[in-house]
């Protein structure tokens, strides 16, 4: 009798899923792996670095740093410091563009 009890217990396990069979399909598309040579990497890096802006002159760094220090110290409010810095940047950039245009003509 023990054999019949074991078989009856194993039968429900064989039919788990209520007769549903789920078939999964997987897709493995071929993906090419690019190969980069040293020359391609260096030329790309050089082209990218030429587009970066140059470092500002030390005079500008001191000016904007001092403006920031005054703001942190509480001598200026941040909106005032932002307005002064923005106006200074606009005036200097406009002056530089005008000088470049005068040199080209």
């Amino acid at each position: 009798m023990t054999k019949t009890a074991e078989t009856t217990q194993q039968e429900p396990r064989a039919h788990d899923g209520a007769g549903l069979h789920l078939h999964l399909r997987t897709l493995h598309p071929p993906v090419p792996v690019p190969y980069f040579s040293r020359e391609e990497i260096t030329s790309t890096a050089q082209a990218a670095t030429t587009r970066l802006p140059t470092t500002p002159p030390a005079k500008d760094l001191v000016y904007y740093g001092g403006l920031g220090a005054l703001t942190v110290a509480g001598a200026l409010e941040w909106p005032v410091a932002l307005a002064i810095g923005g106006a200074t940047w606009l005036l200097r950039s406009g002056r530089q563009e005008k000088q470049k245009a005068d040199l080209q003509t």
Side-chain angles (χ1 to χ4, degrees):
M1 286 190 127
T2 58
K3 289 184 180 180
T4 58
E6 288 176 9
T7 55
T8 56
Q9 288 177 357
Q10 291 177 357
E11 284 182 25
R13 290 183 188 157
H15 298 291
D16 285 345
L20 297 175
H21 299 284
L22 182 62
H23 296 282
L24 298 176
R25 302 283 181 202
T26 58
L27 179 65
H28 299 285
V31 178
V33 177
Y35 175 75
F36 298 109
S37 67
R38 178 178 284 183
E39 292 81 19
E40 290 174 337
I41 292 173
T42 55
S43 67
T44 303
Q46 287 173 350
T49 55
T50 57
R51 294 182 183 152
L52 292 175
T54 59
T55 57
K59 179 175 72 171
D60 289 347
L61 289 175
V62 170
Y63 177 76
Y64 293 117
L67 198 59
L70 287 173
T71 305
V72 169
L76 287 175
E77 295 291 324
W78 70 267
V80 175
L82 187 64
I84 292 170
T88 304
W89 178 77
L90 281 174
L91 289 173
R92 286 183 181 175
S93 64
R95 189 178 305 149
Q96 288 174 357
E97 288 178 8
K98 184 178 178 185
Q99 288 175 354
K100 285 180 185 179
D102 289 343
L103 290 175
Q104 290 177 355
T105 57

